Amino acid sequence: MKGFVFHGPGQSAWEEVPDPAIKEPTDAIVRVDAVTICGTDLHILKGDVPEVRPGTVLGHEAVGEIVEAGSEVRTLRPGDRVLVSCITACGRCRYCRESAYGQCRGGGGWILGHLIDGTQAEYVRVPHADLSVHALPSAVESKDAVLLADIFPTSYEVGVLNGRVRPGDTVAVVGAGPIGLAAIATARLFAPERIVAVDLAASRLEAARRLGADAVADAREEPGQLIADLTDGLGADVVIEAVGVPESFELCTRMVRPGGHVANVGVHGKPVTLHLEDLWIKNVTITTGLVDTHSTPVLLRMAAAGRLPTAQLVTHTFPLDGMEEAYDVFSRAADTGALKVVLGEQPHEEVALRSA
């Protein structure tokens, strides 16, 4: 089959790779029908995630069909249409028993496209399949469902829930890329008084308005002053960092009110200065996190009911073999206006699957 392979910082290609095989009785093989590209994939290509070895197929989000299941897979069978979660869960370790699947110590966590071959391929092996894929309602289209593999649960759990968004809050979202936009959409579920989006790109700020931001600010034009003006000088109750660079994190800590929350969602590839000389006295809570995807079943039900604006985030579609072009478009979002790109949903050439 073919897959999108990481060969080291700045080096990647859509090329022939070995067909997937059942390695453990709890594995399943999924034919990929739709896949997307994550900002984390761009971090990998830049060398920000050194655990990813050259030769790894990237990707950790997909929608597809089960074509083979191991002997101990109980809840799935060939022909089932499923969402492949970005997080894999063994279901037995301490963290899984606490629904902290992102920290799984039983061979799960974020492994797809990270520690093992991922989803940006024609087929993918999914370990611990019973707990790591979700049956899809027929009402949810593949191009919408694939956004529930990562960005919506990540924004909701690591941003909105960790940030403790409450009714009447002022919420600032720094970074209006896909994660930030999904954070705006899911923060609205808690009826904040206002949501302010901060970004450098005018197109993304406009997208933030469409997704529900009440005000927007150019990151180069003192957004902290806008927050201060809107809150009588107090600061935002919740600030969600959705970029992953030192400047954006430090901006978040300057905009939060005493007693407020900074929820870091962005993937950081460089050290960040934590100004405790200013923050120690302010009772500020700072959270970090890898998504656990415990919210995925709820988000799937909401998507089926038309309560999540998934379609508004998809700006570009490509065939699966258009992976290199899709990466180029997604990586140049400031020029292309790309938010989420979706690939696939075209017929596949069957490959021979084999058991290890």
Side-chain angles (χ1 to χ4, degrees):
M1 69 170 187
K2 287 193 172 182
F4 189 72
V5 182
F6 172 70
H7 288 295
Q11 302 176 61
S12 57
W14 176 256
E15 61 188 42
E16 294 284 342
V17 295
D19 299 339
I22 297 288
K23 295 183 178 180
E24 300 291 340
T26 52
D27 291 348
I29 305 295
V30 176
R31 185 194 71 205
V32 175
D33 292 329
V35 68
T36 186
I37 301 171
C38 181
T40 304
D41 296 321
L42 299 183
H43 281 281
I44 292 171
L45 290 179
K46 288 195 299 183
D48 290 345
V49 189
E51 298 86 4
V52 181
R53 296 181 178 180
T56 301
V57 175
L58 297 186
H60 49 267
E61 309 155 87
V63 168
E65 181 181 312
I66 300 288
V67 295
E68 187 177 1
S71 60
E72 293 183 14
V73 176
R74 299 287 181 251
T75 62
L76 305 164
R77 61 184 180 182
D80 287 349
R81 180 170 171 261
V82 296
L83 171 69
V84 179
S85 175
C86 66
I87 297 297
T88 303
C90 78
R92 298 184 301 273
C93 71
R94 169 182 174 176
Y95 288 106
C96 284
R97 289 177 180 272
E98 296 173 354
S99 297
Y101 308 123
Q103 303 301 323
C104 174
R105 291 297 183 266
W110 173 35
I111 58 173
L112 290 171
H114 180 208
L115 304 179
I116 67 172
D117 285 339
T119 59
Q120 289 171 5
E122 294 178 302
Y123 293 78
V124 60
R125 178 180 72 91
V126 182
H128 306 299
D130 278 322
L131 291 171
S132 305
V133 303
H134 301 266
L136 278 178
S138 59
V140 183
E141 294 186 21
S142 296
K143 65 181 176 61
D144 298 322
V146 74
L147 302 192
L148 302 181
D150 186 350
I151 69 162
F152 268 92
T154 294
S155 300
Y156 181 58
E157 295 174 20
V158 186
V160 175
L161 296 184
N162 280 2
R164 306 283 181 89
V165 176
R166 297 177 298 180
D169 278 354
T170 292
V171 179
V173 179
V174 178
I179 288 288
L181 294 174
I184 290 169
T186 51
R188 283 175 55 84
L189 301 173
F190 291 83
E193 180 180 0
R194 62 176 68 89
I195 300 174
V196 182
V198 179
D199 202 280
L200 294 169
S203 62
R204 292 195 163 188
L205 293 176
E206 179 57 34
R209 285 192 183 277
R210 293 196 302 270
L211 267 293
D214 302 287
V216 299
D218 190 312
R220 293 162 293 206
E221 297 179 1
E222 299 187 16
Q225 186 59 53
L226 173 62
I227 296 295
D229 292 343
L230 291 172
T231 60
D232 295 324
L234 195 62
D237 300 284
V238 181
V239 187
I240 297 174
E241 200 284 339
V243 181
V245 299
E247 295 81 5
S248 61
F249 179 83
E250 292 181 32
L251 173 62
C252 291
T253 62
R254 294 196 299 271
M255 292 197 302
V256 68
R257 69 166 174 84
H261 288 74
V262 174
N264 183 88
V265 187
V267 178
H268 290 267
K270 297 179 180 179
V272 175
T273 300
L274 180 64
H275 289 283
L276 283 177
E277 73 278 11
D278 299 321
L279 295 172
W280 72 271
I281 202 171
K282 294 179 67 175
N283 292 25
V284 171
T285 299
I286 298 174
T287 57
T288 65
L290 175 65
V291 64
D292 294 312
T293 66
H294 61 74
S295 67
T296 302
V298 171
L299 294 172
L300 275 171
R301 293 198 299 273
M302 294 181 65
R307 300 297 180 88
L308 292 178
T310 49
Q312 295 183 47
L313 289 174
V314 179
T315 55
H316 295 74
T317 58
F318 300 86
L320 196 61
D321 60 6
M323 194 69 69
E324 294 178 359
E325 181 184 2
Y327 261 90
D328 177 63
V329 168
F330 186 63
S331 66
R332 296 187 297 108
D335 300 322
T336 64
L339 294 176
K340 288 300 285 184
V341 302
V342 174
L343 304 94
E345 295 193 275
Q346 85 278 20
H348 292 264
E349 181 177 326
E350 294 296 326
V351 300
L353 297 173
R354 65 189 189 283
S355 296

